[in-house]
Amino acid sequence: MAASASASTPPPTDSHLHVFWHEGMLAHDTGNGVFDTGFDPGFLDVLEKHPENSDRVKNMVSILRRGPISPYITWHSGRPALLSELLSFHSPESGIALRHFFNVQEYEHELVEADGEGEYIDELVEADKEGGKMVCGGTFLNPGSREAALLAAGTTLSAMKYVLDGHGKIAYALVRPPGHHAQPTLADGYCFFNNAGLAVHLALNSGCGKVAVIDIDVHYGNGTAEGFYRSDKVLTISLHMNHGSWGPSHPQNGSIDELGEGEGFGYNLNIPLPNGTGDCGYKYAFSGLVVPAVQKFEPDMIIMVIGQDSSAFDPNGRQCLTMEGYREIGRVVYNMANRHSGGRLLIVQEGGYHITYSAYCLHATLEGVLNLPLPLLSDPIAYYPEDEAFSVGVIEAIKKFQKDNVPFMK
């Protein structure tokens, strides 16, 4: 249902969205079981699909193709990543094993001799050869996953290149499997290759002096942070629920004191928000923490990493964003891109596991990014109560910590 806008006469905007997508990414089959475990206890008649399943993305594609935002969108086909591109973020020591990942049979005779650094890629290779494996908790590599993961990485790079080459200002990589938990040598949290991290390297290698990454997925973007933890050329900002470490594949806590190391000290800014943070809390975090940091950093390129699992109704998160909250975040990031990166913005899809509401929240986010004057869709679930006082207090404490400890914010 359209709200305050006619479907036949789209409201005016100077912006246009270029969406990069490939149906081959639907082939990644994460299976059924108890939530994301793949486990069948034997006493349930109905096993649910893994939360990171193709249905969630099918609805995202369809709402953009047939929803009221469709007149503002041009579609582009994605492509698989090249080996050399993956090695820009993932461990160069794993080069032989990565070649296995591209063509297992051709390189079957080669041995992987990297000590430690190659173990992550080795696992991907072996899982692909064996026809499926749980690489780490909740993260399954099955037949079709290899091609989908390569397509997700390559499609993100195509979207980034489109913007860097000046063909469009705003591009959205609609990809799965997600990537922001994938570290240089570790798969994690449903992620194999770090799609956003690869895009950052492409931007830096294409002449951008500094890149800002703003991650609003409900889980800490630990993989992206790890990849640039020692760099002062990349500002990584992650707004996430305060979940801490969840095991060997995710050793980072996402706490405020994980600021980076060496030259990168102060350029990894974590904003762990308390459970229940909603529209008002996120707006306050952006105005008080994100916008000032980006202004100080002055990036040449901005990448927004989005996950709709921060919504009030997502099964994999405990935050309370609604469509209006996502819409406002999109507006804020649009304005930052206009101020700092000449309007250039790459958006990369991550989580979001409510099959219906994730699609609606995506639509709202992109309405904001397009700076549309009126909402195109009303919220089918709408209001969720938020006690903002607690989140505001936490944000104020984070602000004080950053002022005292982050050199470039002083």
Side-chain angles (χ1 to χ4, degrees):
M1 176 180 177
S4 306
S6 168
S8 59
T9 308
T13 178
D14 294 331
S15 300
H16 192 82
L17 180 66
H18 297 271
V19 177
F20 286 73
W21 160 251
H22 195 290
E23 287 195 357
M25 289 180 281
L26 297 176
H28 175 44
D29 182 3
T30 47
N32 299 338
V34 176
F35 197 61
D36 65 0
T37 65
F39 174 64
D40 179 357
F43 47 72
L44 296 176
D45 285 342
V46 180
L47 290 176
E48 61 187 313
K49 288 184 177 181
H50 187 288
E52 204 293 282
N53 61 72
S54 62
D55 290 347
R56 55 184 282 272
V57 174
K58 287 178 183 177
N59 270 353
M60 292 178 187
V61 172
S62 63
I63 202 169
L64 299 187
R65 286 196 185 278
R66 304 199 302 272
I69 202 170
S70 61
Y72 303 98
I73 293 175
T74 299
W75 290 83
H76 305 264
S77 181
R79 49 95 177 169
L82 302 173
L83 170 61
S84 58
E85 292 171 330
L86 294 182
L87 289 173
S88 70
F89 183 91
H90 295 285
S91 174
E93 291 86 350
S94 303
I96 295 176
L98 267 173
R99 293 188 186 96
H100 274 293
F101 200 65
F102 279 76
N103 191 330
V104 173
Q105 306 226 329
E106 181 179 349
Y107 294 94
E108 204 165 31
H109 61 284
E110 297 191 54
L111 297 175
V112 180
E113 298 178 348
D115 182 14
E117 291 295 308
E119 291 178 4
Y120 155 57
I121 298 297
D122 294 347
E123 287 192 31
L124 298 184
V125 172
E126 291 305 313
D128 185 70
K129 288 164 65 176
E130 294 168 8
K133 179 180 180 181
M134 185 171 75
V135 179
C136 60
T139 306
F140 296 90
L141 189 70
N142 290 316
S145 301
R146 176 176 71 98
E147 292 82 359
L150 293 171
L151 281 168
T155 297
T156 303
L157 288 167
S158 290
M160 181 80 270
K161 189 174 189 304
Y162 194 84
V163 172
L164 293 170
D165 288 347
H167 299 307
K169 294 279 186 151
I170 306 173
Y172 168 44
L174 177 45
V175 294
R176 75 177 287 264
H180 72 149
H181 296 310
Q183 295 146 76
T185 61
L186 283 174
D188 177 41
Y190 317 158
C191 304
F192 302 106
F193 299 129
N194 196 302
N195 307 314
L198 294 168
V200 169
H201 275 290
L202 178 59
L204 293 174
N205 293 335
S206 300
C208 292
K210 293 190 286 187
V211 179
V213 181
I214 303 165
D215 189 332
I216 65 168
D217 186 280
V218 80
H219 304 105
Y220 177 36
N222 61 310
T224 315
E226 185 69 23
F228 303 102
Y229 209 61
R230 296 156 191 83
S231 173
D232 60 356
K233 305 300 182 186
V234 182
L235 174 66
T236 49
I237 303 175
S238 178
L239 301 93
H240 49 268
M241 67 179 184
N242 195 8
H243 54 68
S245 170
W246 58 54
S249 69
H250 191 109
Q252 304 85 359
N253 288 307
S255 53
I256 58 175
D257 58 347
E258 293 178 349
L259 289 168
E261 294 177 350
E263 292 183 351
F265 182 79
Y267 294 94
N268 184 67
L269 300 181
N270 292 331
I271 306 174
L273 297 170
N275 290 359
T277 301
D279 296 353
C280 295
Y282 272 83
K283 183 176 180 179
Y284 196 76
F286 263 85
S287 63
L289 296 172
V290 179
V291 171
V294 172
Q295 286 177 343
K296 288 274 191 179
F297 185 66
E298 297 183 329
D300 303 304
M301 184 68 209
I302 295 178
I303 298 175
M304 178 165 66
V305 177
I306 61 172
Q308 298 76 31
D309 44 7
S310 301
S311 83
F313 306 99
D314 197 274
N316 213 357
R318 298 297 178 266
Q319 303 297 43
C320 294
L321 275 175
T322 70
M323 285 179 67
E324 184 49 41
Y326 281 104
R327 193 177 282 116
E328 179 60 23
I329 289 171
R331 291 190 195 104
V332 173
V333 175
Y334 165 83
N335 288 325
M336 283 194 290
N338 279 339
R339 188 177 301 118
H340 300 290
S341 59
R344 298 187 303 174
L345 174 65
L346 173 67
I347 306 158
V348 182
Q349 181 62 45
E350 297 290 347
Y353 306 103
H354 190 293
I355 299 299
T356 303
Y357 200 55
S358 291
Y360 273 79
C361 290
L362 168 64
H363 196 286
T365 305
L366 299 180
E367 289 176 37
V369 164
L370 289 169
N371 198 34
L372 297 176
L374 297 170
L376 297 180
L377 280 178
S378 58
D379 197 320
I381 307 179
Y383 178 71
Y384 193 93
E386 174 189 2
D387 180 4
E388 63 200 78
F390 185 38
S391 59
V392 166
V394 170
I395 292 163
E396 282 297 320
I398 297 173
K399 187 187 301 185
K400 183 180 185 308
F401 176 85
Q402 291 183 356
K403 183 178 179 181
D404 293 341
N405 294 279
V406 178
F408 87 93
M409 291 294 290
K410 293 181 179 179

mmCIF file of all heavy atoms in Angstrom, residues 68-84:
data_model
loop_
_atom_site.group_PDB
_atom_site.id
_atom_site.type_symbol
_atom_site.label_atom_id
_atom_site.label_comp_id
_atom_site.label_asym_id
_atom_site.label_seq_id
_atom_site.Cartn_x
_atom_site.Cartn_y
_atom_site.Cartn_z
ATOM 1 N N PRO A 68 6.800 -0.004 -5.329
ATOM 2 C CA PRO A 68 6.730 1.378 -5.818
ATOM 3 C C PRO A 68 8.082 2.039 -6.035
ATOM 4 O O PRO A 68 8.160 3.081 -6.688
ATOM 5 C CB PRO A 68 5.930 2.102 -4.729
ATOM 6 C CG PRO A 68 6.014 1.232 -3.525
ATOM 7 C CD PRO A 68 6.136 -0.171 -4.020
ATOM 8 N N ILE A 69 9.153 1.446 -5.543
ATOM 9 C CA ILE A 69 10.481 2.028 -5.764
ATOM 10 C C ILE A 69 11.048 1.672 -7.137
ATOM 11 O O ILE A 69 12.053 2.244 -7.579
ATOM 12 C CB ILE A 69 11.453 1.558 -4.655
ATOM 13 C CG1 ILE A 69 12.629 2.525 -4.516
ATOM 14 C CG2 ILE A 69 11.925 0.121 -4.900
ATOM 15 C CD1 ILE A 69 13.506 2.278 -3.313
ATOM 16 N N SER A 70 10.402 0.747 -7.836
ATOM 17 C CA SER A 70 10.954 0.203 -9.085
ATOM 18 C C SER A 70 11.273 1.260 -10.149
ATOM 19 O O SER A 70 12.257 1.088 -10.890
ATOM 20 C CB SER A 70 10.024 -0.866 -9.664
ATOM 21 O OG SER A 70 8.751 -0.330 -9.960
ATOM 22 N N PRO A 71 10.502 2.367 -10.285
ATOM 23 C CA PRO A 71 10.861 3.346 -11.324
ATOM 24 C C PRO A 71 12.215 4.018 -11.107
ATOM 25 O O PRO A 71 12.760 4.609 -12.041
ATOM 26 C CB PRO A 71 9.723 4.378 -11.235
ATOM 27 C CG PRO A 71 8.591 3.668 -10.597
ATOM 28 C CD PRO A 71 9.217 2.711 -9.648
ATOM 29 N N TYR A 72 12.748 3.937 -9.919
ATOM 30 C CA TYR A 72 14.017 4.595 -9.608
ATOM 31 C C TYR A 72 15.216 3.672 -9.774
ATOM 32 O O TYR A 72 16.338 4.056 -9.460
ATOM 33 C CB TYR A 72 13.997 5.107 -8.161
ATOM 34 C CG TYR A 72 12.861 6.043 -7.866
ATOM 35 C CD1 TYR A 72 11.704 5.577 -7.246
ATOM 36 C CD2 TYR A 72 12.929 7.388 -8.210
ATOM 37 C CE1 TYR A 72 10.648 6.429 -6.966
ATOM 38 C CE2 TYR A 72 11.879 8.250 -7.935
ATOM 39 C CZ TYR A 72 10.742 7.766 -7.312
ATOM 40 O OH TYR A 72 9.697 8.610 -7.042
ATOM 41 N N ILE A 73 14.994 2.450 -10.255
ATOM 42 C CA ILE A 73 16.029 1.423 -10.259
ATOM 43 C C ILE A 73 16.385 0.984 -11.671
ATOM 44 O O ILE A 73 15.506 0.778 -12.517
ATOM 45 C CB ILE A 73 15.573 0.204 -9.429
ATOM 46 C CG1 ILE A 73 15.473 0.571 -7.945
ATOM 47 C CG2 ILE A 73 16.516 -0.984 -9.624
ATOM 48 C CD1 ILE A 73 14.916 -0.537 -7.080
ATOM 49 N N THR A 74 17.676 0.822 -11.915
ATOM 50 C CA THR A 74 18.192 0.140 -13.101
ATOM 51 C C THR A 74 18.909 -1.121 -12.639
ATOM 52 O O THR A 74 19.700 -1.078 -11.692
ATOM 53 C CB THR A 74 19.166 1.036 -13.879
ATOM 54 O OG1 THR A 74 18.486 2.216 -14.313
ATOM 55 C CG2 THR A 74 19.726 0.299 -15.086
ATOM 56 N N TRP A 75 18.627 -2.240 -13.316
ATOM 57 C CA TRP A 75 19.185 -3.531 -12.906
ATOM 58 C C TRP A 75 20.406 -3.885 -13.748
ATOM 59 O O TRP A 75 20.459 -3.622 -14.947
ATOM 60 C CB TRP A 75 18.131 -4.636 -13.047
ATOM 61 C CG TRP A 75 17.035 -4.505 -12.030
ATOM 62 C CD1 TRP A 75 15.932 -3.711 -12.114
ATOM 63 C CD2 TRP A 75 16.959 -5.172 -10.765
ATOM 64 N NE1 TRP A 75 15.161 -3.837 -10.971
ATOM 65 C CE2 TRP A 75 15.775 -4.731 -10.132
ATOM 66 C CE3 TRP A 75 17.773 -6.094 -10.114
ATOM 67 C CZ2 TRP A 75 15.388 -5.195 -8.877
ATOM 68 C CZ3 TRP A 75 17.387 -6.555 -8.863
ATOM 69 C CH2 TRP A 75 16.209 -6.104 -8.254
ATOM 70 N N HIS A 76 21.394 -4.492 -13.076
ATOM 71 C CA HIS A 76 22.620 -4.931 -13.731
ATOM 72 C C HIS A 76 22.927 -6.358 -13.290
ATOM 73 O O HIS A 76 22.679 -6.732 -12.141
ATOM 74 C CB HIS A 76 23.797 -4.028 -13.353
ATOM 75 C CG HIS A 76 23.574 -2.579 -13.630
ATOM 76 N ND1 HIS A 76 23.998 -1.941 -14.780
ATOM 77 C CD2 HIS A 76 22.947 -1.613 -12.881
ATOM 78 C CE1 HIS A 76 23.657 -0.667 -14.735
ATOM 79 N NE2 HIS A 76 23.025 -0.444 -13.593
ATOM 80 N N SER A 77 23.504 -7.129 -14.197
ATOM 81 C CA SER A 77 23.836 -8.516 -13.881
ATOM 82 C C SER A 77 25.201 -8.602 -13.203
ATOM 83 O O SER A 77 26.145 -7.909 -13.591
ATOM 84 C CB SER A 77 23.846 -9.359 -15.161
ATOM 85 O OG SER A 77 24.145 -10.709 -14.859
ATOM 86 N N GLY A 78 25.285 -9.466 -12.187
ATOM 87 C CA GLY A 78 26.550 -9.687 -11.498
ATOM 88 C C GLY A 78 27.399 -10.721 -12.213
ATOM 89 O O GLY A 78 27.023 -11.263 -13.255
ATOM 90 N N ARG A 79 28.551 -11.021 -11.615
ATOM 91 C CA ARG A 79 29.482 -12.000 -12.203
ATOM 92 C C ARG A 79 30.337 -12.571 -11.086
ATOM 93 O O ARG A 79 30.465 -11.998 -10.007
ATOM 94 C CB ARG A 79 30.337 -11.333 -13.280
ATOM 95 C CG ARG A 79 31.008 -10.006 -12.867
ATOM 96 C CD ARG A 79 32.401 -10.183 -12.368
ATOM 97 N NE ARG A 79 33.103 -8.945 -12.024
ATOM 98 C CZ ARG A 79 34.237 -8.911 -11.378
ATOM 99 N NH1 ARG A 79 34.805 -10.039 -10.962
ATOM 100 N NH2 ARG A 79 34.843 -7.770 -11.078
ATOM 101 N N PRO A 80 30.980 -13.727 -11.307
ATOM 102 C CA PRO A 80 31.834 -14.317 -10.264
ATOM 103 C C PRO A 80 33.138 -13.548 -10.102
ATOM 104 O O PRO A 80 33.648 -12.945 -11.050
ATOM 105 C CB PRO A 80 32.076 -15.740 -10.772
ATOM 106 C CG PRO A 80 31.859 -15.672 -12.246
ATOM 107 C CD PRO A 80 30.834 -14.607 -12.480
ATOM 108 N N ALA A 81 33.674 -13.582 -8.905
ATOM 109 C CA ALA A 81 34.954 -12.936 -8.625
ATOM 110 C C ALA A 81 36.106 -13.733 -9.213
ATOM 111 O O ALA A 81 36.028 -14.955 -9.390
ATOM 112 C CB ALA A 81 35.148 -12.794 -7.121
ATOM 113 N N LEU A 82 37.169 -13.037 -9.502
ATOM 114 C CA LEU A 82 38.411 -13.655 -9.964
ATOM 115 C C LEU A 82 39.297 -13.990 -8.772
ATOM 116 O O LEU A 82 39.195 -13.376 -7.701
ATOM 117 C CB LEU A 82 39.159 -12.702 -10.901
ATOM 118 C CG LEU A 82 38.407 -12.222 -12.144
ATOM 119 C CD1 LEU A 82 39.220 -11.152 -12.866
ATOM 120 C CD2 LEU A 82 38.091 -13.380 -13.069
ATOM 121 N N LEU A 83 40.181 -14.941 -8.961
ATOM 122 C CA LEU A 83 41.114 -15.332 -7.907
ATOM 123 C C LEU A 83 41.924 -14.135 -7.419
ATOM 124 O O LEU A 83 42.074 -13.912 -6.213
ATOM 125 C CB LEU A 83 42.039 -16.431 -8.425
ATOM 126 C CG LEU A 83 43.227 -16.802 -7.538
ATOM 127 C CD1 LEU A 83 42.754 -17.326 -6.200
ATOM 128 C CD2 LEU A 83 44.101 -17.828 -8.248
ATOM 129 N N SER A 84 42.451 -13.355 -8.349
ATOM 130 C CA SER A 84 43.275 -12.203 -7.971
ATOM 131 C C SER A 84 42.485 -11.204 -7.146
ATOM 132 O O SER A 84 43.040 -10.531 -6.266
ATOM 133 C CB SER A 84 43.838 -11.524 -9.225
ATOM 134 O OG SER A 84 42.782 -11.114 -10.083
#
